[in-house]
Amino acid sequence: TGLARKFDLTLTATATLRDRRSDKIWFRDRPLTVKRQIFTDNPQAKGEFGNQLQAEYTTLPLLAESLSKSAVHAVLDVW
């Protein structure tokens, strides 16, 4: 049985945009989702597999950046 070499990571959040002065809700509980693929093999070392934890660790900042861009787009999309 072979091990999976490629995984999909998904980061989700919900966002609410509210004007604090007037308490007007522009949007509520809007889902934000970003996805990215990770590879658990090492391209420099042929045949080295199973490095899923390191792949997730290095991909998390990229997912967070994509999620922040998605949040900015959700806010600016209202106008």
Side-chain angles (χ1 to χ4, degrees), residues 7-38:
F7 294 91
D8 292 328
L9 288 181
T10 304
L11 186 61
T12 60
T14 56
T16 299
L17 180 61
R18 177 176 60 95
D19 185 341
R20 291 178 56 179
R21 289 186 216 141
S22 66
D23 232 17
K24 179 180 178 180
I25 301 291
W26 291 94
F27 59 80
R28 180 186 309 272
D29 297 330
R30 181 175 292 186
L32 304 173
T33 303
V34 292
K35 296 179 182 183
R36 194 173 271 268
Q37 291 183 338
I38 61 168

Side-chain angles (χ1 to χ4, degrees), residues 6-77:
K6 181 174 75 168
F7 294 91
D8 292 328
L9 288 181
T10 304
L11 186 61
T12 60
T14 56
T16 299
L17 180 61
R18 177 176 60 95
D19 185 341
R20 291 178 56 179
R21 289 186 216 141
S22 66
D23 232 17
K24 179 180 178 180
I25 301 291
W26 291 94
F27 59 80
R28 180 186 309 272
D29 297 330
R30 181 175 292 186
L32 304 173
T33 303
V34 292
K35 296 179 182 183
R36 194 173 271 268
Q37 291 183 338
I38 61 168
F39 296 89
T40 59
D41 55 345
N42 184 351
Q44 284 81 29
K46 188 175 182 180
E48 186 179 319
F49 303 104
N51 203 3
Q52 182 178 352
L53 186 60
Q54 181 64 35
E56 289 178 6
Y57 182 77
T58 57
T59 305
L60 190 56
L62 301 173
L63 279 170
E65 180 183 21
S66 295
L67 188 65
S68 68
K69 289 179 181 179
S70 180
V72 167
H73 179 70
V75 170
L76 297 179
D77 194 34

